[in-house]
Amino acid sequence: GEGGVEIDELVRVPVVRLAIGEVAESSVVVVLPVCRAEGREIELEAAPWECGMEGNFGIVQAEKGWKQWVVLPGWSPVVPLKRGGVVVAFPQARGVLPWKGKRRDADEEVLVVADRGRKEVEYDDGFYLVVSGGNGSGEEGLKVERGAKLKEMGVEKSLGTVVLVVRPPREEMDDQLGDDAWE
Amino acid sequence: GEGGVEIDELVRVPVVRLAIGEVAESSVVVVLPVCRAEGREIELEAAPWECGMEGNFGIVQAEKGWKQWVVLPGWSPVVPLKRGGVVVAFPQARGVLPWKGKRRDADEEVLVVADRGRKEVEYDDGFYLVVSGGNGSGEEGLKVERGAKLKEMGVEKSLGTVVLVVRPPREEMDDQLGDDAWE
């Protein structure tokens, strides 16, 4: 619905799947700067903090130049981001999002929308952007971690609070019979 | 309609009025760098030429950083702009667009979408971005001129061919009776 988000994960952060053409369906769109997860906190902090849309045409006025941008539907968790909103593009959800168990969609790319203005690790069941790796467990970069785990490790500050996770549109639209139907 | 443009001026360049929420109605949106008309050709040429949308999320990948961007519906003249597409924001249509006669909407802001890859003044009834003023006739900046007039003056190269002029949404939506009805 208008500005609403359908939650498909029982976590405090809504995880939504973008529908094909959906950037369209709300009367509001939001434009946010995009960082690569491999760019770590340097790129994350460098991305412009002020990116308001102004005037009758909604022209994005960023405080500084930036190369990568994304247009998202005006989903309710995203619209209130006034300063510090940012999107991190992860090539794979696996190893980045703390999913439980094996998931078929773990190799999908995901966008993580975060609020850099809220760095404090506040809620146990909240999700936060942190730097990962460099300890042999994988490549250095950004990842998403639960508040409870960060608190256990004594981490009080994150790079930002995750407000939304966006999955790519499904490409099954012209394939009315799913794979399951053919077994 | 889908990707269509309603033409409301009898010129070779379509002039459209953006509807409130319309950035939404097409399944395609286009993101273009925006220049101020006062920025003249320096800013126009400096704006990134490559701004393709990539991947499942349509992330804009510009060749260089830029501060000002606009999201437009996927109108047919705009979608084919691959390299060199740019938007010039004019605070007033008056003195910038070669309207015939007096027009009530001449004090509206307009966006001019141009293709910097097509600089040649090709068609008499085409419209082209050029530098104006500095000759006492007004402030220096960009303006739109007819091909025929440029040819008369011996001008063969412009800053780009105008492909679309966009007017702001009308603000009369919640005012069903216009001013005229109350005289």
Side-chain angles (χ1 to χ4, degrees):
Chain A
E2 187 77 20
V5 158
E6 283 178 48
I7 296 177
D8 63 12
E9 291 291 317
L10 282 173
V11 295
R12 277 287 167 106
V13 172
V15 178
V16 295
R17 186 176 294 282
L18 192 66
I20 291 171
E22 191 181 357
V23 170
E25 281 163 25
S26 168
S27 59
V28 182
V29 297
V30 175
V31 179
L32 287 170
V34 176
C35 296
R36 298 162 305 123
E38 315 89 82
R40 295 176 295 158
E41 74 265 45
I42 299 163
E43 193 173 324
L44 191 78
E45 283 297 318
W49 279 54
E50 296 274 6
C51 323
M53 293 170 89
E54 293 177 13
N56 284 323
F57 295 111
I59 294 174
V60 176
Q61 305 274 1
E63 67 192 341
K64 62 194 282 193
W66 197 248
K67 286 182 186 182
Q68 289 194 297
W69 298 89
V70 73
V71 185
L72 292 178
W75 287 317
S76 48
V78 178
V79 172
L81 292 174
K82 291 293 175 219
R83 239 186 79 82
V86 72
V87 168
V88 183
F90 290 100
Q92 270 203 339
R94 181 180 290 112
V96 171
L97 300 181
W99 298 138
K100 287 175 188 156
K102 281 174 109 175
R103 296 179 59 114
R104 272 185 63 187
D105 49 13
D107 57 352
E108 281 184 345
E109 57 191 314
V110 287
L111 299 184
V112 171
V113 187
D115 183 351
R116 288 171 293 174
R118 290 163 55 205
K119 294 196 191 299
E120 199 187 338
V121 179
E122 203 170 2
Y123 302 109
D124 280 9
D125 49 4
F127 288 85
Y128 301 90
L129 271 180
V130 292
V131 175
S132 79
N135 58 357
S137 71
E139 285 173 35
E140 207 167 331
L142 298 179
K143 69 174 290 189
V144 173
E145 197 54 89
R146 284 178 197 276
K149 188 161 176 196
L150 293 173
K151 287 183 179 181
E152 271 176 35
M153 300 188 293
V155 177
E156 289 172 5
K157 291 269 174 194
S158 69
L159 299 172
T161 298
V162 176
V163 300
L164 186 69
V165 176
V166 187
R167 292 181 180 151
R170 278 220 171 82
E171 288 169 42
E172 296 166 6
M173 305 295 276
D174 50 359
D175 181 13
Q176 300 269 351
L177 287 172
D179 287 339
D180 301 343
W182 292 97
E183 284 193 351
Chain B
E2 187 77 19
V5 158
E6 283 178 50
I7 296 177
D8 63 13
E9 291 291 318
L10 282 173
V11 295
R12 277 287 167 104
V13 172
V15 178
V16 295
R17 184 177 296 282
L18 192 66
I20 291 171
E22 190 179 0
V23 170
E25 282 164 23
S26 169
S27 58
V28 182
V29 296
V30 174
V31 180
L32 288 170
V34 175
C35 296
R36 297 163 304 125
E38 315 86 82
R40 294 177 293 159
E41 73 265 44
I42 299 164
E43 192 172 324
L44 191 78
E45 282 298 316
W49 280 55
E50 297 275 6
C51 322
M53 293 170 87
E54 293 176 14
N56 285 324
F57 295 111
I59 294 174
V60 176
Q61 305 275 1
E63 68 192 339
K64 63 192 280 190
W66 196 250
K67 286 183 187 183
Q68 289 194 298
W69 299 88
V70 72
V71 185
L72 293 178
W75 287 317
S76 48
V78 177
V79 172
L81 292 174
K82 291 293 175 221
R83 238 186 79 82
V86 72
V87 168
V88 183
F90 290 100
Q92 270 204 338
R94 181 180 291 113
V96 171
L97 300 181
W99 298 137
K100 287 173 187 159
K102 280 176 109 175
R103 295 179 58 113
R104 271 186 62 187
D105 48 14
D107 58 352
E108 281 184 345
E109 57 191 316
V110 288
L111 299 184
V112 171
V113 187
D115 182 351
R116 288 171 293 174
R118 290 163 56 206
K119 294 196 191 298
E120 200 187 339
V121 178
E122 204 169 2
Y123 302 109
D124 281 8
D125 48 3
F127 287 84
Y128 301 89
L129 270 180
V130 292
V131 175
S132 79
N135 59 357
S137 72
E139 283 173 36
E140 208 167 331
L142 298 178
K143 68 175 290 187
V144 173
E145 198 53 89
R146 284 178 197 277
K149 187 161 174 194
L150 293 173
K151 287 184 178 180
E152 272 175 35
M153 301 189 294
V155 178
E156 289 172 5
K157 291 269 174 194
S158 69
L159 299 172
T161 297
V162 176
V163 300
L164 186 69
V165 176
V166 187
R167 291 182 181 151
R170 279 218 172 83
E171 287 170 42
E172 295 166 7
M173 308 294 275
D174 52 357
D175 181 12
Q176 300 268 352
L177 286 171
D179 287 338
D180 302 344
W182 292 97
E183 285 194 349

